[in-house]
Amino acid sequence: NNTAAGHFSFAAGNQAKANHSGSFVWADSSNAPFASRTRNQFLIRASLGVGIGTDSIDRNHKLRVAGNAKVDDTLFAPNISSTSPLRLQTVGTTRIFVSDASGNVGIGT
């Protein structure tokens, strides 16, 4: 039930549709289509999460990276319209906290 229709495209899993050139679509076993929307996309549908460098994942976190991760020139905002505070943690302890309502920032508190 997979389609790799674009040039240099790849589709794997269940109902993966790489409809555009250069697209890579990896779908889990969910019984619903999962398709590229434009060329040169790398898409992953993994309902229980994605692990990079680890097999320790849980459904509360869509992505878990073991080791250092670097994001260049990117705004890191899990959900900019969320009513939840933003917490940056290391070793399970909140190091930086941004309040949901006031926008106040706490470092180490």
Side-chain angles (χ1 to χ4, degrees):
N1 293 327
N2 299 322
T3 305
H7 295 284
F8 315 110
S9 63
F10 177 85
N14 187 34
Q15 297 195 44
K17 313 292 182 199
N19 297 323
H20 302 85
S21 294
S23 60
F24 181 107
V25 181
W26 184 272
D28 61 10
S29 62
S30 299
N31 195 22
F34 186 62
S36 63
R37 294 179 182 246
T38 188
R39 62 191 193 98
N40 298 328
Q41 287 185 312
F42 186 102
L43 306 176
I44 301 169
R45 177 180 67 197
S47 59
L48 292 180
V50 174
I52 298 177
T54 182
D55 61 358
S56 177
I57 57 175
D58 60 73
R59 70 175 70 231
N60 294 323
H61 302 94
K62 287 295 184 185
L63 176 64
R64 177 171 237 160
V65 178
N68 295 333
K70 184 175 181 181
V71 179
D72 292 337
D73 301 322
T74 301
L75 171 64
F76 179 74
N79 186 349
I80 203 74
S81 63
S82 175
T83 58
S84 300
L86 173 65
R87 298 173 189 269
L88 300 178
Q89 297 181 328
T90 59
V91 195
T93 301
T94 299
R95 306 299 181 181
I96 299 175
F97 176 88
V98 179
S99 171
D100 56 337
S102 67
N104 292 333
V105 176
I107 299 177
T109 181

